[in-house]
Amino acid sequence: MSFDTRPETDRLFREMVQAGLDLLDPGLTVFDHELRMVAWNRSFLRLLDFPESLAVAGMPFEAFIRYNAERGEYGPGDIDAQVAERVHAARSFRAHYTERTRPNGRVLAIRGAPLPHQGFITLYTDITEQKLYRELVQRQNAELEGHVRARTNELETAYTRLTQAMAANAEITSALKRSEARLRLITDTIPAHIAYFDHRWTYQYANRGYARWFGWQPEDVVGKPIDTIIGAQVFATVKEHVSIALAGQQVTYEYSMDLRDGRTVYARSTLVPEIDANGVTLGCFVHSFDITEQRRTQAALVQAQKMEAIGQLTGGLAHDFNNMLTVVTGNLQALRQQLGERSEVGDYLDPAMQAAQRGVELIKRLLTFSRQQPLEPQPVEVNSLIRGMAQLMRRSLPQSIAITPFAHEDDLVVMADPHQLENALLNLALNARDAMPNGGELRIESSGEQLNAEDAADIEAAPGEYVQITVSDNGIGMDVGTLTRVFEPFFTTKQFGAGSGLGMSMVYGFVKQSGGGVLLRSRQARGTSVALLLPRTRQTPRDAERPQAATSREDGRGQLVLLVEDNPEVRKVARLLLTDLGYPVLEAENALEAADMIENIPDIAILLSDIVMPGGMDGAALARFARRFRPAMRIVLVSGYAKGLEDDDAEIHGFRFLPKPFTREALAQALRDTLG
């Protein structure tokens, strides 16, 4: 084999190599062991403003250095000394890197590396824009820190004002006690329910009619909080009105109350705020009348409105509690990671983490009742699930209770969340156990049902095919009063501390959220039957299976995350977890501030945003904006409950949902999932 060594071929080869080098953005030079130039490109001449006359093979390195020195590139000084110093350094043929700002303001990164035979190659890169961007990020971080300090000062000022208001209210309370004797003499003779509570939601006065209305004596009411006196049921109804009144606005409302004998009574109350000369609300006067007779014909409507109000209140409380639990679990987990596996530390941390987890489960029950708990519906084979639950129940229930599962039909598949369905059946089984203290039979039956329009209306569902799961016992049954209230939250017939009163309301909320309904039948001394009707599907569990994509080896660490959270404590925990996972973080306390960052900071790779935030834009709207403005941005939405995230958002826009409270592992997994 031989190579073409003709001069024409050699010339063509050199021209082809030179053309390729000229296409490179960085400048390039190659000098041999005698410091004579062997190769270069036009980017080198352009970046350093060298004339074409120097671009000659064999041109000595010293010529370039002298040219720079003579035009003042190295600043004032002796030109020969400057040239000699740089030529001497080059003869060492050592790898080097330096950044130099040219007189025209452009910043060049110069990287040299030795080559065989004592030559070396040097790359010249213009990094002016990169340095400007780093300086921009540093300035923005400084501005963010300034915002945080300003916000801290505002909170300290607000706290000082609150402390001053509490001191002023203490003086008003003292004056009210002196006039209480005269006030009671007058109000006890009026046929109305009269009371007064202060800004701390604590009663300072109640006439005889008001106290007896709630089953107390007047002297027992003073000094007690509102929820203790009026009970959880009434308190859930009137809490919002009390907040409005304590904000300085007179409000009139009606509420109902269930008595121990099973009767429901109604009242109309007016709250009149007491405001001092400085505009501060000291408390509220309560003026209430018994309107039971006027409301008996409206009982069904009032019941529906009350359940809706409780559901909304539950969702709001769950959101706030999940924020608090996020802070608790996040800090406990961080503390555990820092302190390691020391046994004496675990004795304190483990019970705290367990208590926090119980709080999470309680919030999930509240959300299930209010139909705001995110569900993961999938085809579930009912008979198989019941058989598995029956084995679990046999270990949980006493031997005196026989468990009989029975399927009236095969291939009963529903579209539901299997874990919530298991929890519902377990709750019903535990209620049946309590209803059979001396033992009995627990039957769990399944069957297919076709509901027409009339039957579906009875359970407030759509007509169609359903699967009915019936849990029956032969226990003590329920009276009429219990039967009408069994699905109310916090209602329980168990002794104080023996139950939360959320079991049946959770079952009801889950079934309704799944598009089904509940039928309840009970007779005292004969037993109770609870039928759950869930939409039937012709899919099978195998149809729902999807091959999972292989887990990416990349986890995205080092990519810039924009964290958007209005709660500063939750934001702090999330920031610590992100930085611990290796993600640099920018923070925003509302969606509008975050949208501005998304527009102006192109390096943001991941958006991690709370859904529920104050202002004109929530987290879901911010995610949709980010997806339109930067389609490649990965998005994770976080919330204590799913309200605010439309059902089709996750599928259409590819958002990931991370429920609060979350652990470090859950956060890491959510961020990894976005790589898919």
Side-chain angles (χ1 to χ4, degrees):
M1 180 180 293
S2 63
F3 295 95
D4 190 344
T5 59
R6 290 176 297 177
E8 178 63 20
T9 302
D10 185 60
R11 183 184 62 82
L12 292 176
F13 175 76
R14 289 197 304 273
E15 290 179 356
M16 181 177 62
V17 172
Q18 186 64 46
L21 294 177
D22 288 342
L23 292 175
L24 298 176
D25 287 334
L28 177 144
T29 60
V30 178
F31 286 86
D32 61 15
H33 68 286
E34 295 180 352
L35 292 182
R36 295 186 179 277
M37 188 161 67
V38 177
W40 68 93
N41 66 358
R42 293 190 177 276
S43 295
F44 163 69
L45 301 176
R46 174 178 52 81
L47 290 175
L48 281 86
D49 293 330
F50 284 131
E52 292 284 347
S53 60
L54 291 177
V56 177
M59 181 64 65
F61 177 75
E62 179 182 353
F64 293 96
I65 298 301
R66 185 168 296 280
Y67 184 89
N68 272 345
E70 289 176 349
R71 63 178 174 178
E73 189 83 14
Y74 306 128
D78 181 72
I79 293 177
D80 291 335
Q82 292 176 340
V83 172
E85 177 186 355
R86 285 162 174 77
V87 170
H88 177 74
R91 289 189 181 280
S92 65
F93 297 103
R94 289 181 298 185
H96 63 274
Y97 174 85
T98 183
E99 294 181 3
R100 180 156 61 91
T101 302
R102 298 201 63 245
N104 62 4
R106 305 302 292 182
V107 181
L108 299 182
I110 303 173
R111 184 186 304 276
L115 296 174
H117 311 297
Q118 289 191 331
F120 68 92
I121 182 172
T122 307
L123 297 176
Y124 305 84
T125 306
D126 190 333
I127 61 171
T128 306
E129 283 72 19
Q130 297 179 24
K131 293 203 67 172
L132 290 176
Y133 175 73
R134 288 199 296 267
E135 292 171 358
L136 173 62
V137 171
Q138 291 173 354
R139 288 197 302 272
Q140 289 176 338
N141 286 338
E143 291 174 2
L144 285 174
E145 292 176 357
H147 291 323
V148 171
R149 287 194 294 270
R151 182 59 177 164
T152 301
N153 292 334
E154 292 175 3
L155 291 175
E156 290 176 350
T157 301
Y159 177 77
T160 301
R161 292 175 179 174
L162 178 61
T163 303
Q164 294 171 350
M166 293 175 62
N169 284 335
E171 297 179 3
I172 300 300
T173 301
S174 178
L176 286 174
K177 289 182 178 180
R178 291 194 297 270
S179 62
E180 182 179 358
R182 294 192 299 273
L183 180 64
R184 183 172 300 280
L185 180 63
I186 297 172
T187 58
D188 280 348
T189 61
I190 298 176
H193 307 154
I194 299 174
Y196 177 88
F197 57 83
D198 61 20
H199 68 285
R200 295 170 298 183
W201 299 53
T202 301
Y203 284 107
Q204 300 301 329
Y205 176 80
N207 74 343
R208 184 180 293 109
Y210 188 92
R212 290 180 177 177
W213 174 256
F214 293 107
W216 298 82
Q217 294 298 320
E219 59 273 14
D220 297 329
V221 175
V222 176
K224 298 291 196 308
I226 294 177
D227 56 345
T228 300
I229 297 301
I230 68 177
Q233 176 194 356
V234 179
F235 182 72
T237 305
V238 308
K239 181 179 181 180
E240 181 178 356
H241 303 296
V242 174
S243 298
I244 294 173
L246 286 175
Q249 180 180 340
Q250 179 173 317
V251 60
T252 299
Y253 58 90
E254 296 179 1
Y255 67 89
S256 64
M257 180 173 63
D258 296 330
L259 304 181
R260 294 181 179 179
D261 58 6
R263 293 184 300 113
T264 301
V265 294
Y266 300 89
R268 179 184 294 115
S269 291
T270 298
L271 302 182
V272 181
E274 181 188 11
I275 303 175
D276 67 7
N278 297 321
V280 178
T281 302
L282 304 177
C284 289
F285 296 98
V286 185
H287 191 208
S288 182
F289 290 93
D290 183 353
I291 59 168
T292 301
E293 294 303 322
Q294 303 174 28
R295 293 294 308 278
R296 289 197 179 278
T297 57
Q298 305 174 12
L301 177 61
V302 171
Q303 178 71 4
Q305 292 173 338
K306 181 182 64 175
M307 295 295 287
E308 180 66 21
I310 294 176
Q312 294 174 355
L313 175 63
T314 301
L317 286 174
H319 175 258
D320 291 338
F321 272 106
N322 274 326
N323 274 343
M324 290 185 283
L325 287 170
T326 298
V327 176
V328 172
T329 56
N331 283 288
L332 287 175
Q333 191 175 34
L335 184 60
R336 163 64 80 182
Q337 186 173 3
Q338 290 185 7
L339 297 179
E341 299 298 330
R342 293 162 51 187
S343 59
E344 66 274 13
V345 175
D347 293 339
Y348 295 96
L349 288 183
D350 292 344
M353 286 294 294
Q354 293 170 6
Q357 187 59 40
R358 287 195 295 270
V360 172
E361 296 300 324
L362 179 61
I363 295 302
K364 286 183 178 179
R365 288 194 173 194
L366 288 171
L367 287 174
T368 302
F369 157 70
S370 60
R371 306 179 205 176
Q372 295 171 353
Q373 169 73 9
L375 299 180
E376 298 181 2
Q378 58 182 310
V380 178
E381 209 293 311
V382 171
N383 294 333
S384 175
L385 184 142
I386 290 176
R387 287 193 296 269
M389 288 301 298
Q391 295 178 359
L392 174 64
M393 293 173 187
R394 287 189 177 97
R395 295 193 295 268
S396 304
L397 302 183
Q399 296 182 355
S400 58
I401 296 178
I403 302 175
T404 307
F406 185 80
H408 293 272
E409 185 178 336
D410 296 329
D411 299 325
L412 295 175
V413 182
V414 298
M415 184 63 69
D417 187 319
H419 300 297
Q420 294 293 339
L421 180 55
E422 290 174 347
N423 287 338
L425 294 179
L426 185 58
N427 268 294
L428 295 177
L430 295 178
N431 284 344
R433 176 201 63 188
D434 295 338
M436 297 183 292
N438 299 320
E441 181 185 15
L442 173 66
R443 291 181 60 86
I444 309 176
E445 303 177 68
S446 59
S447 61
E449 301 290 340
Q450 180 72 39
L451 298 186
N452 56 31
E454 181 178 356
D455 294 335
D458 292 338
I459 62 170
E460 300 179 351
E465 286 188 284
Y466 288 81
V467 173
Q468 178 170 304
I469 306 173
T470 305
V471 180
S472 306
D473 65 68
N474 55 0
I476 59 177
M478 306 180 196
D479 57 27
V480 176
T482 302
L483 197 60
T484 57
R485 299 186 58 193
V486 68
F487 294 126
E488 291 185 12
F490 307 113
F491 173 76
T492 179
T493 58
K494 301 176 183 178
Q495 294 181 353
F496 179 77
S500 64
L502 290 172
M504 292 300 291
S505 59
M506 183 275 291
V507 172
Y508 181 82
F510 155 68
V511 174
K512 296 301 293 182
Q513 192 175 357
S514 301
V518 181
L519 292 175
L520 177 64
R521 301 180 181 87
S522 184
R523 293 180 61 184
Q524 288 188 282
R526 298 290 298 273
T528 300
S529 173
V530 182
L532 312 181
L533 289 104
L534 295 169
R536 188 171 186 174
T537 179
R538 293 303 175 183
Q539 297 185 47
T540 66
R542 291 184 179 180
D543 295 334
E545 294 177 359
R546 295 290 185 270
Q548 296 182 352
T551 302
S552 174
R553 294 184 180 179
E554 300 180 1
D555 60 6
R557 296 186 182 184
Q559 296 185 344
L560 185 60
V561 177
L562 175 56
L563 169 63
V564 189
E565 168 62 60
D566 61 301
N567 187 301
E569 293 299 325
V570 176
R571 192 167 64 246
K572 177 181 178 182
V573 169
R575 182 182 70 245
L576 293 175
L577 292 177
L578 286 168
T579 54
D580 185 55
L581 289 170
Y583 293 88
V585 181
L586 291 178
E587 298 181 39
E589 63 180 5
N590 58 65
L592 295 177
E593 182 181 352
D596 184 63
M597 290 185 178
I598 291 172
E599 289 181 339
N600 293 285
I601 304 177
D603 276 9
I604 296 175
I606 304 172
L607 171 64
L608 179 67
S609 174
D610 190 17
I611 295 179
V612 180
M613 289 186 292
M617 178 185 286
D618 62 9
L622 174 63
R624 290 189 286 269
F625 165 82
R627 184 50 49 83
R628 290 193 301 269
F629 193 80
R630 298 195 185 279
M633 183 174 292
R634 289 140 50 199
I635 297 171
V636 179
L637 292 177
V638 185
S639 183
Y641 67 121
K643 189 174 183 180
L645 181 64
E646 301 298 332
D647 293 339
D648 61 348
D649 278 349
E651 296 179 1
I652 294 178
H653 301 291
F655 303 154
R656 295 296 188 274
F657 179 77
L658 177 63
K660 289 181 182 176
F662 51 82
T663 62
R664 179 180 184 276
E665 291 73 20
L667 175 60
Q669 185 61 50
L671 294 173
R672 284 195 297 269
D673 288 346
T674 62
L675 292 171

